[in-house]
Amino acid sequence: MTLFTQEDAKRSIALFCCLYGVGALGMPGNFAMVGYGLGIAIMVLTCAFNMYASWCMSKVLLIAPKYVKTFGDIGEWSMGIVGRYLANVSQLIVRIVIPIIFLVLGGSILCTGVWIVFMALALLPICLYPTLKEGTGVIFTGAICALVADIIALVVLVHNIGLQNDGLLAPSTNLTFDQFATSASNMGLVFGAGTVIPALHREHSDPVRFPRIIIFTYALALICSLVMGLVAYSKIGCQVPGGPFGYLVLVIATPYLGFISDRGTVIIAMIAMLMHNMIAFTVVIFPSFYILERRILGRHPIVIDNSNNYNDLETPEAERAQRKSEARVSIMEPIEFPSHETAADYNGPGVYLKVSILRTFVVAVAAALAHIGQRDLEKIANFAGASMILLCCLLLPVAFHAKVFWKNMATIHKAWAILVFIIGLFVAVEGSILTGKILFRYDKPMPQFPYCNATYEDYVFTNRTYYMTAVIKH
């Protein structure tokens, strides 16, 4: 069997585009909050936990009846109507919040305000692709653009800081529990791509191969994110600006670190990240389109088929037969992403026109909400990562898998699943409380570099004049 096929690569690119990009740009800020050791540990564990959760979802889909196509279907098939509600509500919230974050960040790159509307208009043609499979080339472009933007931003940072510090050591982090909890919850935004797994899984002509795609793609995203975070932190330490300007592309575009970057280089990085934001917006929001197309336009009808094409080596034949016999139509109409034959649903007369109008309306609403909430980008992202993203991308997939496979799981596997669930639940609850307080209150203005001690919180550490004056005064 071929280790990695062309179709595997296409699905991996789509998943990588969701995992790597905006979250990776925030890696220097996450390391600035907690330092080297905790930063590496949090990132590796978060990646491992989310990779396991995505793997769990794919494994459940492999043994489920054919009509189990979506995250909500998985929830109901494994845990009944409660599972359906938990899956659908959590992922719908995520699919509202995350695309809005992409729009806000894209607007920030272009100078906010009316530019959010411009970005929405620019990404609209991508949103009108009938399915993700037909837009593989565009998705690949999005992944490449994220890498280009990150590499340029990192090179600019390293070069300019190197010219200034001349042997100076970057200041270390002034670690607090709030920073630790915020960093842990932020990682949910970086590696939380579980909601797109059912879509990509069902678009693969041989889904048995999908678990290896998940492992490979998460490992690649982890390596890229570690390089981004560690190299940047080694150069500037805790001195990452607070607020939305903590994203690396925006850091190099501002004078906060004591240098003015070459404008041409910054523009190239900005354009690359803007393109990534536009494409990632499309990948994340696609299942929401299908929700509305099924509910409003009556498209994507579900054909119940209890047969199963996959051989499950972990489940006895008798148990598989029992599950097939118990298969039934959902109590709630399945409303998410259909299978890879979906393009045929758009072939009827006038269907694509209706779909285009509906999708345009959805993008317009997202743009309006982004314009209203643009001042709270970082707060919204942190709160979403701490709550709904962890719920639907980590906690629920692990719970669904355990419910289905519990009798056949090895003891060590059960222990690992319990550990992942408990840690994920703790981070979700603690992070939600902390980021919720920040989101719904107006604090006093933060210092320029809020993760440093008092000595380095207002001026960049390469400002020799300021620090020599401060020493003389003392």
Side-chain angles (χ1 to χ4, degrees):
M1 183 171 65
T2 306
L3 184 62
F4 216 68
T5 66
Q6 183 177 4
E7 188 175 10
D8 294 344
K10 290 180 179 179
R11 302 280 73 77
S12 179
I13 289 168
L15 181 57
F16 183 81
C17 191
C18 294
L19 289 171
Y20 189 82
V22 172
L25 285 175
M27 282 299 104
N30 282 304
F31 274 90
M33 291 182 193
V34 294
Y36 280 116
L38 277 176
I40 294 173
I42 291 172
M43 186 184 295
V44 171
L45 285 175
T46 304
C47 180
F49 287 1
N50 279 277
M51 179 173 64
Y52 172 69
S54 296
W55 177 89
C56 286
M57 201 179 305
S58 184
K59 296 296 284 187
V60 172
L61 281 168
L62 286 175
I63 72 159
K66 282 187 175 180
Y67 75 86
V68 178
K69 298 175 180 292
T70 67
F71 189 37
D73 293 344
I74 295 171
E76 186 179 352
W77 185 68
S78 59
M79 297 182 67
I81 195 64
V82 174
R84 163 74 70 176
Y85 274 113
L86 287 172
N88 280 347
V89 171
S90 62
Q91 76 160 330
L92 282 173
I93 293 174
V94 168
R95 294 198 178 281
I96 291 171
V97 173
I98 299 305
I100 290 174
I101 292 174
F102 285 129
L103 281 177
V104 174
L105 184 58
S108 298
I109 290 174
L110 294 170
C111 255
T112 67
V114 71
W115 289 105
I116 291 177
V117 178
F118 173 81
M119 179 179 170
L121 290 172
L123 61 79
L124 184 58
I126 309 173
C127 292
L128 297 181
Y129 276 101
T131 69
L132 279 177
K133 194 171 187 178
E134 295 179 4
T136 300
V138 177
I139 294 171
F140 176 74
T141 303
I144 294 299
C145 285
L147 286 172
V148 169
D150 289 354
I151 291 171
I152 291 175
L154 199 59
V155 170
V156 169
L157 177 69
V158 170
H159 172 71
N160 284 281
I161 289 295
L163 292 177
Q164 297 180 87
N165 64 15
D166 190 22
L168 295 174
L169 294 177
S172 58
T173 297
N174 182 31
L175 181 63
T176 65
F177 179 78
D178 285 356
Q179 289 173 199
F180 168 78
T182 302
S183 177
S185 62
N186 282 355
M187 293 297 179
L189 179 62
V190 179
F191 295 110
T195 55
V196 302
I197 295 300
L200 299 175
H201 179 104
R202 288 303 182 184
E203 283 198 347
H204 201 298
S205 60
D206 184 14
V208 174
R209 304 178 60 87
F210 204 75
R212 75 176 63 185
I213 296 173
I214 290 171
I215 294 172
F216 169 79
T217 309
Y218 269 89
L220 180 62
L222 173 63
I223 292 171
C224 293
S225 297
L226 277 172
V227 170
M228 173 65 63
L230 289 173
V231 173
Y233 184 73
S234 70
K235 294 298 179 181
I236 58 177
C238 63
Q239 292 202 321
V240 173
F245 290 104
Y247 292 101
L248 193 56
V249 166
L250 299 179
V251 168
I252 66 167
T254 62
Y256 295 141
L257 295 180
F259 61 83
I260 302 296
S261 308
D262 176 76
R263 294 297 91 184
T265 306
V266 171
I267 289 172
I268 293 173
M270 292 287 197
I271 291 174
M273 184 48 58
L274 180 64
M275 291 183 65
H276 168 79
N277 279 0
M278 294 165 61
I279 295 167
F281 174 97
T282 308
V283 173
V284 173
I285 206 171
F286 248 86
S288 298
F289 291 152
Y290 286 93
I291 291 173
L292 296 174
E293 287 166 16
R294 182 171 286 149
R295 285 296 193 189
I296 297 174
L297 302 180
R299 306 310 305 168
H300 318 305
I302 295 297
V303 178
I304 300 300
D305 184 351
N306 294 338
S307 63
N308 200 323
N309 290 338
Y310 313 121
N311 293 320
D312 175 38
L313 301 179
E314 301 179 59
T315 307
E317 183 65 33
E319 188 173 341
R320 292 202 302 272
Q322 180 182 2
R323 286 179 183 153
K324 291 177 184 179
S325 68
E326 293 174 350
R328 57 180 173 78
V329 180
S330 172
I331 296 173
M332 296 174 61
E333 180 187 5
I335 57 170
E336 302 141 55
F337 213 127
S339 65
H340 64 279
E341 296 93 355
T342 302
D345 291 347
Y346 299 95
N347 293 337
V351 172
Y352 187 70
L353 175 61
K354 295 177 182 178
V355 167
S356 298
I357 294 172
L358 178 61
R359 293 188 181 187
T360 301
F361 176 75
V362 172
V363 174
V365 171
L369 293 174
H371 183 76
I372 294 171
Q374 60 188 298
R375 296 184 182 277
D376 294 318
L377 165 64
E378 185 191 33
K379 297 176 183 179
I380 293 172
N382 292 346
F383 183 71
S387 52
M388 289 298 106
I389 293 178
L390 281 172
L391 177 60
C392 69
C393 295
L394 177 61
L395 298 177
L396 289 180
V398 172
F400 295 158
H401 179 271
K403 182 66 168 59
V404 172
F405 289 100
W406 188 259
K407 293 181 180 178
N408 302 293
M409 291 169 62
T411 302
I412 191 170
H413 191 176
K414 291 179 180 178
W416 169 254
I418 293 172
L419 177 66
V420 170
F421 190 86
I422 291 175
I423 294 177
L425 183 62
F426 172 79
V427 172
V429 173
E430 184 64 32
S432 296
I433 294 172
L434 176 62
T435 56
K437 289 179 179 178
I438 296 173
L439 177 61
F440 297 111
R441 77 180 183 211
Y442 290 95
D443 293 325
K444 62 181 180 180
M446 289 191 304
Q448 190 70 65
F449 306 115
Y451 314 128
C452 299
N453 60 40
T455 303
Y456 294 102
E457 66 181 7
D458 291 313
Y459 294 90
V460 65
F461 73 100
T462 57
N463 188 333
R464 298 171 187 269
T465 302
Y466 169 79
Y467 288 105
M468 288 180 63
T469 304
V471 170
I472 292 172
K473 288 181 177 178
H474 286 81

